Amino acid sequence: MLYLIGLGLGDERDITLRGLEIVKKCKKVYIEAYTSLLSFGISSVGCSTLEELYGRSITLADREMVEERANDILSEARDSHVAFLVVGDPFGATTHTDLVVRAKKMGVEVKVVHNASVMNAVGACGLQLYRYGETVSIPFFTESWRPDSFYEKIQINRTLGLHTLCLLDIRVKEPSLESLCRGKKQYEPPRYMTINTAIEQLLEVEQTRGESVYNEDTTCVGFARLGSEDQMVVVGSLRQLLMVDFGAPLHCLVIVGKTHPVEEEMLDFYTVRKETPGLKEKETA
Amino acid sequence: MLYLIGLGLGDERDITLRGLEIVKKCKKVYIEAYTSLLSFGISSVGCSTLEELYGRSITLADREMVEERANDILSEARDSHVAFLVVGDPFGATTHTDLVVRAKKMGVEVKVVHNASVMNAVGACGLQLYRYGETVSIPFFTESWRPDSFYEKIQINRTLGLHTLCLLDIRVKEPSLESLCRGKKQYEPPRYMTINTAIEQLLEVEQTRGESVYNEDTTCVGFARLGSEDQMVVVGSLRQLLMVDFGAPLHCLVIVGKTHPVEEEMLDFYTVRKETPGLKEKETA
């Protein structure tokens, strides 16, 4: 049996009782290392915090390993209980559909233990989840690659009065260009897009495309470390949020659509003020 | 401090370790009874399964109580730790924004412990969460009240190739018409809309409106008891799903938009077949 177990968004204590019970009975435990494991006490030297709490040794599985060794993992799961831990929900922002498809094709049974993901936890700012349109991803721009397909999607959402969740790029274990040329695998340090970078890119695209989808005065919600003890939620115009230092990753951004009074009341509590932590000098609400 | 704690979707073991730690230290524990508590061992006689596991006595809070006694609950929370348990995620399909707004206005600190909700757990069928449009709600039709505003929303989603999550009506603790006339409060038994009723209503609205937004052959995914041990996921046309008995609540329905190959592979595993449990006679895929 292959168990896909969501770990939630905060730290090792966000696993569910059901998830923990299963981990404890599994012969082998993997954890996906595609995204961010920063808050889970996991480093290059191991998964000690998790291992201590869960009472199991845990194998870090990066995308390469899962792609190359999927058949081994799934063979193990045919004969014994194997847990595959995933930050957030197994079918949240990062999907593990591929692994499930492979498992089912091999006749390996799959069970899922759900948990919170960014897709529902953004509800914390008070914007109703059923008033969101299509989610967009904002990739890191490079000198030569500045894809802006998110622009039309935001445009459609805004025309419909819907909110837009913007997921910000994560680059983990990217081979460096130099190492690719040399044919020897070496990796870039991980990169997590900040809200500030996302806003700069959004405004650049608006300037290029010029269809007035949003502007510096458009109200947005910036989230950092959503679901953690030290999460940060700040509401303000794009220009205002550009002046806020949101600190450590992960960040995401919501572009606010048409609001209802109760949504506005909630947003008001998070609106950027002089005393907002991380607010850079000279900027006042 | 007021803690809003998500319980997840299955049963009492779907609380997170973080959530359980908090419940155990709270002086007073409420549980919202707005929606479905069927699988949480809660009945009119009490919350024994939860109380046993959590080691706390739990007060059932229906909408009336929360509205009428919110100030009492929040006063308690000003002086001590109070937990308010919510099925799913606190900001999932059922929102508790009102209570949070009131708390913040009274200067009561609020902390949220997130968990899975239907809004992200529907990812289990393989349709990507970021390819969903606006969520719609399908209310029980009555003789004189047949609201169909979901029709335009589904139309927009389908035009954009997006999937549509349909949340189905729940009627808990509705005063009976008879009791309203007599001025004495008596309640109707709880009602949970089945997928079958939802499909009948959807097809009725299509027939009335006639804008070819969907038809009997439109592919959908029916979910029953999502996140529970005995969850059911069946993919088929509206006509096919009409022939499936999905059993106990809660149900929800996804109208499938434009699909990618990996989405199709996953849907295929759940496609209605002769051996699909609950399939009524004469219907074959």
Side-chain angles (χ1 to χ4, degrees):
Chain A
M1 175 86 80
L2 176 70
Y3 293 96
L4 279 178
I5 300 175
L7 296 182
L9 295 169
D11 60 30
E12 70 283 355
R13 292 177 307 132
D14 286 297
I15 195 169
T16 65
L17 301 190
R18 182 193 301 275
L20 185 58
E21 271 170 31
I22 294 171
V23 171
K24 283 181 186 289
K25 79 173 182 192
C26 278
K27 205 177 145 195
K28 185 92 200 190
V29 181
Y30 295 92
I31 185 165
E32 62 101 358
Y34 304 174
T35 52
S36 170
L37 298 169
L38 295 170
S39 57
F40 284 83
I42 293 167
S43 66
S44 53
V45 294
C47 312
S48 54
T49 317
L50 279 185
E51 290 180 329
E52 223 166 274
L53 178 70
Y54 300 168
R56 276 281 168 284
S57 102
I58 298 174
T59 307
L60 257 173
D62 56 35
R63 199 180 294 266
E64 218 172 85
M65 176 183 177
V66 173
E67 275 164 18
E68 285 168 14
R69 292 206 36 227
N71 285 346
D72 299 346
I73 297 174
L74 294 173
S75 298
E76 289 173 331
R78 183 146 50 192
D79 305 323
S80 61
H81 294 303
V82 172
F84 195 85
L85 310 180
V86 176
V87 175
D89 184 75
F91 297 102
T94 302
T95 70
H96 296 83
T97 316
D98 254 340
L99 191 64
V100 175
V101 168
R102 283 198 194 200
K104 287 184 181 264
K105 280 185 180 164
M106 280 176 68
V108 174
E109 263 197 280
V110 180
K111 277 203 177 173
V112 174
V113 179
H114 290 288
N115 210 320
S117 74
V118 62
M119 306 294 279
N120 67 348
V122 288
C125 72
L127 296 174
Q128 304 296 309
L129 291 178
Y130 58 83
R131 296 282 304 151
Y132 278 76
E134 188 174 359
T135 299
V136 305
S137 293
I138 304 192
F140 275 117
F141 284 178
T142 67
E143 277 302 309
S144 54
W145 195 67
R146 303 175 102 72
D148 59 5
S149 64
F150 53 78
Y151 189 74
E152 284 91 8
K153 292 176 184 171
I154 298 171
Q155 186 167 38
I156 290 167
N157 288 345
R158 289 183 66 75
T159 307
L160 298 169
L162 301 174
H163 315 309
T164 308
L165 170 60
C166 306
L167 299 174
L168 310 189
D169 204 358
I170 294 171
R171 296 290 170 102
V172 179
K173 231 182 164 183
E174 297 276 313
S176 68
L177 196 60
E178 199 192 336
S179 83
L180 282 178
C181 299
R182 287 195 197 153
K184 193 177 126 192
K185 275 190 184 162
Q186 270 175 337
Y187 301 100
E188 301 280 1
R191 290 171 71 202
Y192 305 97
M193 187 184 286
T194 62
I195 289 168
N196 311 76
T197 301
I199 293 175
E200 282 164 11
Q201 293 192 180
L202 279 165
L203 292 175
E204 179 192 308
V205 172
E206 176 57 58
Q207 196 148 38
T208 315
R209 305 282 297 263
E211 295 172 46
S212 302
V213 170
Y214 47 80
N215 59 44
E216 288 199 338
D217 294 319
T218 301
T219 303
C220 288
V221 189
F223 294 89
R225 300 169 302 285
L226 183 57
S228 300
E229 289 286 345
D230 67 338
Q231 77 171 19
M232 214 172 142
V233 181
V234 185
V235 176
S237 66
L238 281 172
R239 184 174 32 80
Q240 286 172 321
L241 295 190
L242 206 46
M243 299 301 292
V244 177
D245 179 358
F246 282 89
L250 296 178
H251 295 183
C252 67
L253 183 73
V254 171
I255 302 175
V256 179
K258 213 177 141 215
T259 47
H260 294 279
V262 67
E263 291 182 316
E264 283 158 27
E265 277 193 299
M266 271 289 278
L267 289 185
D268 191 48
F269 294 116
Y270 298 110
T271 297
V272 66
R273 291 179 178 84
K274 272 185 203 158
E275 61 273 23
T276 298
L279 188 63
K280 295 169 198 168
E281 275 178 272
K282 287 187 204 163
E283 178 67 10
T284 52
Chain B
M1 176 84 82
L2 176 70
Y3 293 96
L4 280 179
I5 301 176
L7 296 182
L9 295 169
D11 61 29
E12 70 283 354
R13 293 175 306 132
D14 285 298
I15 196 169
T16 64
L17 301 190
R18 181 194 300 275
L20 185 59
E21 271 170 31
I22 293 172
V23 170
K24 282 182 188 286
K25 79 172 183 192
C26 279
K27 206 176 143 196
K28 185 91 199 192
V29 182
Y30 295 92
I31 185 165
E32 62 101 0
Y34 305 173
T35 52
S36 171
L37 299 168
L38 296 170
S39 56
F40 284 83
I42 293 167
S43 66
S44 53
V45 294
C47 312
S48 55
T49 317
L50 279 186
E51 290 181 329
E52 224 165 274
L53 178 69
Y54 300 168
R56 276 281 169 281
S57 105
I58 298 174
T59 307
L60 257 173
D62 56 35
R63 198 180 293 267
E64 220 172 83
M65 176 181 176
V66 173
E67 274 163 21
E68 285 168 14
R69 293 204 39 226
N71 285 347
D72 298 347
I73 297 175
L74 295 173
S75 297
E76 288 172 332
R78 183 144 53 188
D79 305 323
S80 61
H81 293 305
V82 172
F84 195 87
L85 310 179
V86 177
V87 175
D89 184 73
F91 298 101
T94 303
T95 70
H96 295 82
T97 316
D98 254 339
L99 191 64
V100 175
V101 167
R102 283 198 195 201
K104 287 186 181 259
K105 280 187 180 165
M106 281 177 67
V108 175
E109 264 197 279
V110 180
K111 278 204 177 173
V112 174
V113 179
H114 291 287
N115 209 319
S117 74
V118 60
M119 307 293 280
N120 66 348
V122 289
C125 72
L127 297 174
Q128 305 295 311
L129 292 178
Y130 59 82
R131 295 282 306 152
Y132 278 77
E134 188 175 359
T135 299
V136 305
S137 293
I138 304 193
F140 275 119
F141 283 177
T142 67
E143 277 302 310
S144 54
W145 194 67
R146 302 175 103 72
D148 59 5
S149 63
F150 53 78
Y151 189 73
E152 284 92 7
K153 292 176 183 171
I154 298 171
Q155 186 167 38
I156 290 167
N157 287 344
R158 289 183 66 76
T159 308
L160 297 168
L162 301 174
H163 315 310
T164 307
L165 169 60
C166 306
L167 299 174
L168 309 189
D169 204 358
I170 294 171
R171 295 290 169 103
V172 179
K173 231 183 164 183
E174 297 276 314
S176 68
L177 197 58
E178 200 192 336
S179 82
L180 282 178
C181 299
R182 288 194 198 154
K184 196 178 124 190
K185 274 190 183 163
Q186 271 177 336
Y187 300 99
E188 301 278 3
R191 292 171 69 203
Y192 306 97
M193 187 183 285
T194 61
I195 288 167
N196 311 76
T197 300
I199 292 175
E200 283 164 11
Q201 294 193 180
L202 279 165
L203 291 175
E204 179 193 309
V205 172
E206 176 57 58
Q207 195 147 38
T208 315
R209 304 284 297 262
E211 294 172 45
S212 302
V213 170
Y214 48 80
N215 59 44
E216 287 198 339
D217 294 318
T218 301
T219 303
C220 289
V221 188
F223 295 89
R225 301 169 302 284
L226 182 58
S228 300
E229 288 285 345
D230 67 338
Q231 78 169 21
M232 213 171 143
V233 181
V234 185
V235 176
S237 66
L238 281 172
R239 185 175 31 78
Q240 286 173 321
L241 295 191
L242 206 48
M243 299 301 293
V244 177
D245 178 359
F246 282 89
L250 295 180
H251 296 183
C252 68
L253 183 72
V254 171
I255 303 174
V256 179
K258 215 177 140 214
T259 48
H260 294 279
V262 68
E263 290 181 316
E264 282 157 28
E265 277 192 299
M266 271 288 278
L267 289 185
D268 191 48
F269 294 117
Y270 298 109
T271 296
V272 66
R273 289 178 178 85
K274 272 187 203 154
E275 61 274 22
T276 298
L279 189 62
K280 294 167 197 171
E281 276 178 273
K282 289 187 198 160
E283 178 68 9
T284 51

